[in-house]
Amino acid sequence: MRLRRCHALLIEPRETRELDIAAVFAGEARMRSRIEWRGLAAHRDDCVTLSDAEVLALGEVSSTDWTEGEDFVRKHGEAVVRRLLDNGLLETEDAPDAGDAIVREGHWHRIAAVAHRHLRWQDTDTQKTTEALAGDSSLPPMLERLGPPPPPVAPRVDAARRQPLPASPETGFDRLLSRRVTCRNFDPARPLPLAMLATILQQVHGARATAEVTGVPLLKKAVPSAGGLHPVEAWLLVRRVDGLAPGLYHYHSTDHALEPMRALDAEEADGLALRFVAGQTWFAQAPVYVMLVARFQRNFWKYRGHAKAYRAVILDAGHLSQAQYQLATELGLGAFITAAANEGEIERALGLEPMRDGVLAVTGFGYRAGEMVDLEFDPLKAVWPAPA
């Protein structure tokens, strides 16, 4: 038997605070710190609590070269090696781990791989989580509990040394940006026209041109992307679009077409919508969600194990979101983006493997409701005029 360590593994000394029982029996109530070793692997959703002996063993085996198992077991003990094998932190040559192979073959930077895997949410309800962690999330209690926030701008020189700049003249684009407000109030009774959905998909996510450069197929879109690779694709949860059945779809960016993935009835679609955005009810009435999903190998094929590759993919999602916001605003629609999403739930619904096709954010758009029930940040009063 030969073995090796999994490809991407972070070992963290995790500290938790707990009641000191011995002190309680002595008549004193106090907390104490407890530190445990935790192993976070890029091919596992859960973390593994490790003993000192297991941490030592992991530090003495390669993730690339195969190690003779008999010698390794003799040195570290059968129980240690068996537990590491059972938890997928070690693999044997004759029974390689399929999940680890996906990460290994995907050319991930190791730290980025672990971060992507373990910062995803599954079955999270933001309402319950916020209340449990911080209590009332309205601003006055937050200020009392957390203290004042950092200032909006951190000055770097004295005010007298600042160089004033001329004000720009107002343009149509300026007026458009003034109306760009995250929508939290969608009209549940007004479906989106299919033509309007098609316009947003084509203008934001569609390929304007394709080209082969020295044998590499590249795309020209409305937004920039590292190497012209455009790895972030649009997957849709459609609920209320005229002429389009509710369901899950993938947008084919070069053919400008929707690929049906799974039909949904209205109740299923509503349930998925709320779970996708982790219980954020103010987004749940949007008639269309667009999930920004990265095909990591499209980027990592070129930028193999690169420390900046994952960051470049995240930037792509931001570019697409802003383009979608601007176009939706121009069309008279409200739009949103949220990172508070249940990526695990979305992956299961769409049939995605997170280290191949990773959910980065959920966006959406639709007609605004006639009344602001949930507060929207509109300081310019461009969308919601001040009451008379």
Side-chain angles (χ1 to χ4, degrees):
M1 175 184 72
R2 299 204 303 169
L3 48 79
R4 66 182 176 185
R5 191 175 72 244
C6 62
H7 179 67
L9 174 66
L10 173 69
I11 296 178
E12 174 195 13
R14 186 169 298 184
E15 183 173 357
T16 56
R17 300 281 290 169
E18 61 184 19
L19 189 63
D20 188 333
I21 301 300
V24 170
F25 284 131
E28 182 183 353
R30 69 174 180 224
M31 304 294 289
R32 69 174 182 181
S33 292
R34 181 165 63 90
I35 299 176
E36 292 181 328
W37 292 110
R38 298 288 181 91
L40 294 92
H43 64 294
R44 293 182 55 108
D45 283 336
D46 58 333
C47 60
V48 181
T49 302
L50 299 169
S51 67
D52 292 350
E54 289 162 351
V55 171
L56 179 62
L58 288 168
E60 293 187 1
V61 62
S62 171
S63 66
T64 305
D65 301 324
W66 294 102
T67 298
E68 289 300 331
E70 290 184 8
D71 295 339
F72 194 77
V73 169
R74 204 163 22 246
K75 180 173 183 179
H76 294 284
E78 186 173 343
V80 166
V81 175
R82 174 47 51 196
R83 187 167 183 275
L84 294 176
L85 285 169
D86 289 345
N87 283 286
L89 304 187
L90 292 180
E91 65 176 357
T92 60
E93 191 174 23
D94 56 348
D97 188 290
D100 185 61
I102 291 172
V103 181
R104 195 179 293 273
E105 295 163 7
H107 310 298
W108 278 88
H109 184 276
R110 285 179 168 88
I111 295 175
V114 173
H116 174 72
R117 186 84 190 204
H118 289 275
L119 296 180
R120 293 155 51 252
W121 279 1
Q122 302 197 58
D123 306 315
T124 296
D125 186 319
T126 56
Q127 306 299 308
K128 295 177 181 177
T129 303
T130 301
E131 292 169 3
L133 293 178
D136 191 343
S137 61
S138 57
L139 290 179
M142 281 183 65
L143 287 170
E144 182 179 347
R145 188 171 61 253
L146 305 177
V153 179
R156 305 300 180 177
V157 299
D158 292 336
R161 293 179 55 202
R162 294 179 195 148
Q163 173 65 55
L165 298 171
S168 62
E170 187 177 84
T171 64
F173 185 61
D174 185 64
R175 290 188 289 275
L176 174 69
L177 292 181
S178 295
R179 302 197 315 274
R180 193 213 66 82
V181 174
T182 293
C183 183
R184 287 181 160 215
N185 298 272
F186 291 96
D187 187 342
R190 193 175 180 187
L192 194 71
L194 178 60
M196 197 170 282
L197 171 63
T199 296
I200 292 179
L201 290 175
Q202 183 171 32
Q203 298 296 334
V204 176
H205 300 278
R208 293 168 179 256
T210 60
E212 239 185 53
V213 180
T214 61
V216 179
L218 303 180
L219 301 176
K220 166 65 179 173
K221 292 191 178 184
V223 297
S225 178
L229 296 170
H230 291 284
V232 179
E233 298 186 336
W235 291 69
L236 282 70
L237 168 58
V238 171
R239 298 166 67 204
R240 297 185 306 278
V241 175
D242 285 333
L244 191 59
L248 299 169
Y249 295 83
H250 172 253
Y251 177 63
H252 195 294
S253 63
T254 57
D255 285 1
H256 183 48
L258 288 175
E259 299 178 322
M261 306 304 296
R262 177 179 153 198
L264 300 170
D265 61 33
E267 185 177 353
E268 284 180 296
D270 289 349
L272 282 180
L274 191 58
R275 293 198 296 276
F276 280 9
V277 294
Q280 297 176 88
T281 54
W282 44 87
F283 295 143
Q285 288 300 332
V288 174
Y289 284 0
V290 176
M291 280 71 70
L292 302 180
V293 178
R295 286 174 53 221
F296 291 115
Q297 267 192 303
R298 172 74 178 156
N299 179 286
F300 299 167
W301 165 84
K302 178 179 180 180
Y303 303 108
R304 300 191 172 204
H306 199 294
K308 296 292 186 179
Y310 183 68
R311 183 177 294 190
V313 174
I314 299 293
L315 287 173
D316 280 16
H319 298 319
L320 289 164
S321 166
Q322 178 66 344
Q324 187 170 288
Y325 257 108
Q326 291 174 358
L327 183 55
T329 302
E330 186 177 67
L331 295 173
L333 303 176
F336 77 89
I337 182 172
T338 182
N342 276 318
E343 294 93 343
E345 183 85 21
I346 297 169
E347 292 155 6
R348 287 193 293 272
L350 299 180
L352 303 178
E353 206 295 324
M355 304 310 290
R356 285 197 181 111
D357 300 284
V359 178
L360 302 180
V362 177
T363 69
F365 45 85
Y367 287 107
R368 287 182 178 275
E371 181 182 357
M372 182 169 59
V373 176
D374 287 299
L375 181 65
E376 294 183 13
F377 184 63
D378 181 24
L380 297 175
K381 305 298 181 185
V383 175
W384 301 102

